[in-house]
Amino acid sequence: MSDKLIIFDTTLRDGEQSPGASMTREEKLRIARQLERLRVDVIEAGFAASSNGDFEAVKAIADAIKESTVCSLARANDRDISRAAEALKGARRARIHTFIATSELHMEKKLRMTREQVLEQARLAVRFARNLCADIEFSPEDGYRSDPDFLCRVLEAVIDEGATTLNIPDTVGYAIPELYGNFIRSLRERIPNADKAIWSVHCHNDLGMAVANSLAGVKIGGARQVECTINGLGERAGNCSLEEVVMAVKTRRDYFGLDLGIDTTQIVPASRMVAQTTGFVVQPNKAVVGANAFAHASGIHQDGVLKARDTYEIMRAEDVGWSANKIVLGKLSGRNAFKQRLQDLGIELESEAEVNAAFVRFKDLADRKSEIFDEDILALVADESVTQEQEHYRLLALSQQSEMGERPHARVTFAAGTQEFRTEADGNGPVDASLKAIESQLQTGAELLLYSVNAITSGSTESQGEVTVRLQLGGRVVNGVGADPDIVVASAKAYLAALNKLHSKAERVAAQG
């Protein structure tokens, strides 16, 4: 059995299914390039058949990525599989990941198919896919809650048809580590041709055990691929967290005995990029990538770390990409230094015009904020990309008056397409007044589900504020992110960014979990 653990990242597909976490083609491509720098083995770039936008994103990633395998999800039908194969044509290494539900609940209530119909469709789908691509992954959706006897029949059949990877999803996060590990082991022992495929685990975090279940599937079950996402991003309670699995296997190599191809120093940059792109802020006490992951407040702990680091630290902060020297640029920094820092951060802008535009925004920020951190640059570029990609609504000017004992008032000037609007409103605070001013003019009727403020950098009142606004309209949920040293301005940017996503009317199809 191989001693290499394959890391399959599905941030761009399953992670994107988080309400409000949908990404543009350019955002997906930027994250895919960071995943390649992280050296993940497989990048699941999307669900090509779900929309034209997802097809174009998968195609762009397949054309750009050279070191990682690029994968597209497809339901077990010829149309989806053909669409995936077409999107993956430019990939140096391509994989089609096809799936169909196998649990009694899903077959009866969702698919309305018999066992024999599901078995036959699975066989035919893998056979069709194998004629288009050499690397085929098959997933029995809701596999953990499936009847083991029937599941064995399906898995044996798809291996015979050419499936090279078998993934056993715990789609609803129902598993318990020991039981899940034994479940995988039992399947491998019972299926005669089990050794002809790589076994994979895909666990959701509904009971907070996605990482533990995945590791049990590896250690007890013998799986050699883990499907995961950056920051554990995903619908409901999320997916198995890539950074936690990777560092568990690396730190406890004495127990797992497995090798990884991951460049762990790229973990924190990947975490920051995903958080700032999606607006899903990383909690401070999150393992590995949280702001407090390597902080020590207790005097006893601080004393111990100063005397011998390993008294309280089992990992080194720098090994996962934390840097002690976060200050990188200032107002006197030139264009070349800025461009070099973009490269160091893994930011690849497509043209000199984009670099110039980003540099202008950097200079403007440097005039308002004396110290520019890596997080500021990431937010600046993300903000620039949103402006270029989704610019129907644009903030032009904002002024607000807030005084103790008086009702706050805001005046906002913004563009909608080629029209310019000036509007004003009162509110319970300057942020409330600003958003109400915008809404009073547009009257979208969108429901505000979330308003969140996060300091991009810590330790200074000069820090940029990053605001996330989550809106719901007509069954669609979107996130908008805005960054600015002025929280009120950042809030207006975030609100307009969310409205831009609603305006784009991008369609998505719910996919396998």
Side-chain angles (χ1 to χ4, degrees), residues 144-303:
Y144 181 67
R145 295 195 299 174
S146 299
D147 173 62
D149 293 337
F150 175 61
L151 190 56
C152 284
R153 289 181 63 202
V154 172
L155 296 176
E156 182 179 358
V158 297
I159 294 174
D160 282 341
E161 295 295 346
T164 50
T165 299
L166 297 181
N167 177 51
I168 312 300
D170 177 25
T171 301
V172 294
Y174 184 68
I176 302 297
E178 183 180 4
L179 299 180
Y180 183 69
N182 287 330
F183 185 74
I184 303 293
R185 182 171 64 186
S186 175
L187 294 175
R188 292 180 56 243
E189 290 173 348
R190 292 180 58 185
I191 296 173
N193 53 2
D195 61 333
K196 295 182 180 178
I198 294 169
W199 288 72
S200 175
V201 292
H202 180 121
C203 298
H204 280 256
N205 205 40
D206 297 71
L207 294 177
M209 290 185 282
V211 171
N213 287 331
S214 298
L215 292 173
V218 170
K219 182 64 177 179
I220 301 172
R224 285 300 176 264
Q225 175 177 285
V226 174
E227 306 200 356
C228 44
T229 62
I230 300 295
N231 299 337
L233 187 69
E235 59 186 334
R236 304 190 312 277
N239 286 272
C240 173
S241 169
L242 179 147
E243 57 275 7
E244 293 177 23
V245 163
V246 165
M247 294 313 295
V249 172
K250 180 181 173 66
T251 303
R252 293 307 307 272
R253 196 181 188 285
D254 60 315
Y255 177 73
F256 290 102
L258 295 170
D259 293 325
L260 292 162
I262 298 293
D263 178 359
T264 60
T265 63
Q266 294 297 321
I267 287 176
V268 168
S271 172
R272 289 175 179 167
M273 186 178 290
V274 169
Q276 291 186 320
T277 300
T278 63
F280 281 73
V281 177
V282 176
Q283 66 194 58
N285 62 328
K286 171 77 165 65
V288 184
V289 294
N292 293 346
F294 294 89
H296 301 276
S298 163
I300 295 174
H301 285 210
Q302 291 172 346
D303 180 64

Side-chain angles (χ1 to χ4, degrees), residues 476-487:
R476 291 190 65 206
V477 178
V478 298
N479 277 348
V481 181
D484 196 271
D486 186 328
I487 291 296

Side-chain angles (χ1 to χ4, degrees), residues 78 82 87 153 158 187 232 298 313 318 367 376 397 424 433 448 461:
D78 291 359
S82 297
R153 289 181 63 202
V158 297
L187 294 175
S298 163
E313 288 189 1
E318 53 266 37
D367 282 336
D376 293 315
E424 56 187 281
L448 180 64
T461 55

